[in-house]
Amino acid sequence: MHAHTIVMSAAFLAIGWGSYAWARETLSKTLLNRRLAQTLGLHLCAQMLLGAGAWLGGISPETSQLLHIFTWTLTLALLSVWVEAWFALPASVSALSFLVAAAFPSLMYPLMAFDNLVLTVVLLRVWFPRQDIEKIKERRLELRQRARKWLVETGGAGRGEEE
């Protein structure tokens, strides 16, 4: 349904605004982060506009959803040109999904899910700072050591009291 698409885009925009407000210091630190946040906001507004226009124009919800895949393709392709070249991979996957879904409408929703998976994997692979991975590993090791120490101390104290 068109209303569902519009509401979901609005909900994601609201979540994005909330996330941006919560992590404002980090997300506004670099020009790249600011541009990506703005692009995401503009893209979600464009999705709402597309949904409303499709509804008013009598375009079927299925055709509107297909056009959403095209908007993903366009947004990711533009990001690959002016932000980071690696956005070309999810843009290419979305472009292929658009064509396949146009020919085989029954595959549209699985393809949409796959597009989102590819984008998520690429974002995590490329963007997750390596130093953060090291910090996570160090923190996990520290927690394991503290847990072992606690188990040894409480296990030893409990056995000592029984004797």
Side-chain angles (χ1 to χ4, degrees):
M1 293 175 35
H2 294 294
H4 178 75
T5 299
I6 296 167
V7 168
M8 290 305 294
S9 295
F12 281 119
L13 184 60
I15 290 167
W17 276 337
S19 299
Y20 189 85
W22 176 70
R24 184 180 195 99
E25 185 178 322
T26 301
L27 291 176
S28 64
K29 192 176 281 188
T30 67
L31 180 60
L32 175 66
N33 287 351
R34 290 190 299 274
R35 283 185 177 170
L36 284 171
Q38 291 168 351
T39 300
L40 177 61
L42 287 171
H43 176 81
L44 291 169
C45 288
Q47 282 191 173
M48 290 186 288
L49 181 64
L50 175 60
W55 195 355
L56 293 171
I59 296 171
S60 73
E62 293 78 18
T63 302
S64 175
Q65 291 294 307
L66 178 65
L67 294 175
H68 276 81
I69 298 174
F70 179 78
T71 66
W72 299 348
T73 302
L74 181 59
T75 299
L76 291 167
L78 291 171
L79 286 172
S80 75
V81 170
W82 60 273
V83 176
E84 289 286 342
W86 50 261
F87 275 113
L89 176 63
S92 299
V93 170
S94 291
L96 183 59
S97 293
F98 172 71
L99 295 174
V100 172
F104 304 99
S106 65
L107 297 176
M108 182 168 50
Y109 294 111
L111 288 168
M112 291 172 94
F114 183 69
D115 292 344
N116 284 294
L117 175 65
V118 169
L119 177 60
T120 301
V121 168
V122 169
L123 285 172
L124 289 174
R125 178 75 178 124
V126 174
W127 223 323
F128 203 77
R130 304 291 182 250
Q131 65 270 20
D132 286 355
I133 293 172
E134 291 305 316
K135 286 180 185 177
I136 290 169
K137 287 179 181 177
E138 289 172 13
R139 179 74 176 139
R140 209 168 37 188
L141 178 63
E142 177 186 319
L143 288 172
R144 282 186 191 140
Q145 289 171 343
R146 286 176 36 198
R148 282 187 192 117
K149 182 179 176 186
W150 179 80
L151 287 171
V152 168
E153 289 174 358
T154 57
R159 281 187 292 243
E161 292 173 3
E162 293 174 6
E163 294 175 5

